[in-house]
Amino acid sequence: MATVIGRSSSAESALLRRALDEGGFTEGADPYGVHLVDDVSRAAPERAGPERRVLVVTVGRWRSGRGAWELLAQGVEDVVGWTGEETVDVVLARLERWREVDRLLSSRPVA
């Protein structure tokens, strides 16, 4: 699924959405969400949970490390800071890993 949440009009969001689509993470295909935020301390992980993994990408300045730890404690899978276009590769790598782990965990020898 790799739903991009927030900042829908941003250049970062458009770049990420295109890369996700090209990488096989089209809207609605997987239980993953990417939440783009300006301020990590204001990110709301309401969509995180056992059936849905959320990756928060903070595009603005990090106010403090505390916000990231709070998000992780609330169920967000990971928090990444936007450092430029290379961040897209980091996000794709995380989602590909999650997809592979989920595939292995649901395989017959494991389940």
Side-chain angles (χ1 to χ4, degrees):
M1 150 188 160
T3 301
V4 178
I5 306 165
R7 293 183 50 95
S8 61
S9 62
S10 72
E12 295 91 350
S13 179
L15 180 65
L16 189 55
R17 177 74 269 155
R18 185 172 53 251
L20 291 170
D21 288 343
E22 291 172 359
F25 292 95
T26 57
E27 190 80 30
D30 296 297
Y32 314 128
V34 179
H35 192 157
L36 292 169
V37 297
D38 288 319
D39 182 351
V40 71
S41 66
R42 295 183 182 198
E46 68 274 9
R47 297 179 184 223
E51 298 299 317
R52 179 167 168 83
R53 293 183 181 184
V54 174
L55 171 66
V56 172
V57 179
T58 179
V59 180
R61 292 175 23 157
W62 288 69
R63 306 259 187 234
S64 72
R66 189 173 136 222
W69 288 112
E70 289 173 359
L71 288 172
L72 293 169
Q74 294 173 18
V76 167
E77 193 78 18
D78 206 350
V79 180
V80 175
W82 184 273
T83 57
E85 289 187 23
E86 64 273 8
T87 305
V88 171
D89 295 331
V90 172
V91 170
L92 282 172
R94 294 278 190 343
L95 296 178
E96 288 167 354
R97 179 176 175 268
W98 295 352
R99 182 184 275 172
E100 183 62 15
V101 168
D102 290 345
R103 186 190 67 75
L104 289 171
L105 288 175
S106 66
S107 68
R108 187 174 201 138
V110 176

